[in-house]
Amino acid sequence: MSFIPKLYIYTCCPFCIRVQLIASVKNYQLKEIVFPYHDEQNPIKMIGTKQVPILEYSKNKFMAESLEIVKFIDNYDKNSILKPPNLNKTELNDWFQSTMLIRNKLITPRLINANLLEFQDQKSIDYLINKKKNYIGSIDDCLKESSILIDQIHKDLNELEKLIDCETCVNKLDNNNN
């Protein structure tokens, strides 16, 4: 019996979703395993740090960093479907960084009640709250600020639209690379 790669994830992690997407498109067979959010020991044992996604591509051989995993999966069959980016993403990265606190204040309190596999026990919920409180403040305060934060993220999303919906932006194909 051959080894089936394992992808260790959190279901709420956009970097994990990035890997799941390419695995699905490429029909790359793998087994997904959701870590409890409070589990530091297993990821550290695998890759030396607490982060996901982690791909176990061979018995006890691990790979981290979502873009590296995406590249690995895209090339596993020697038939890459991804093209290298051909645009300067500085403006997108700036937008992403400038909205990070607002996005975290909106998302984090809602993860607790979203019935996600990584938050099925109180240890994981407490771990999330304690880990994020120095960055976002209290969960209750974030929830109280929701209407203000939502108004701000709407404005920010309007700015994002200008970055991704133009002739030279991420939603347009380079006519030379079709």
Side-chain angles (χ1 to χ4, degrees), residues 6 8 14 20 22 25 28 31 48-49 53-54 75-76 92 96 102 105 129 138 151 154 156 159-160 169 174 177:
K6 296 178 182 89
Y8 298 87
Q20 291 170 306
I22 191 66
V25 168
Y28 185 79
K31 179 179 180 182
T49 188
I54 300 169
N75 288 299
Y76 89 95
L92 287 174
F96 187 79
I102 293 168
K105 284 184 163 198
I129 291 169
S138 80
D151 287 345
H154 280 155
D156 294 333
E159 291 303 310
L160 176 63
C169 295
D174 180 345
N177 290 328

Side-chain angles (χ1 to χ4, degrees), residues 5-58:
K6 296 178 182 89
L7 182 64
Y8 298 87
I9 63 169
Y10 299 137
T11 59
C12 66
C13 171
F15 305 106
C16 297
I17 294 167
R18 172 189 284 166
V19 173
Q20 291 170 306
L21 179 61
I22 191 66
S24 176
V25 168
K26 295 289 288 204
N27 294 313
Y28 185 79
Q29 184 182 7
L30 51 76
K31 179 179 180 182
E32 291 181 359
I33 299 167
V34 178
F35 281 132
Y37 196 74
H38 71 276
D39 183 354
E40 293 180 346
Q41 182 179 354
N42 284 311
I44 289 172
K45 186 169 50 173
M46 293 172 174
I47 61 168
T49 188
K50 181 189 185 303
Q51 79 178 48
V52 291
I54 300 169
L55 179 66
E56 184 176 8
Y57 58 92
S58 186

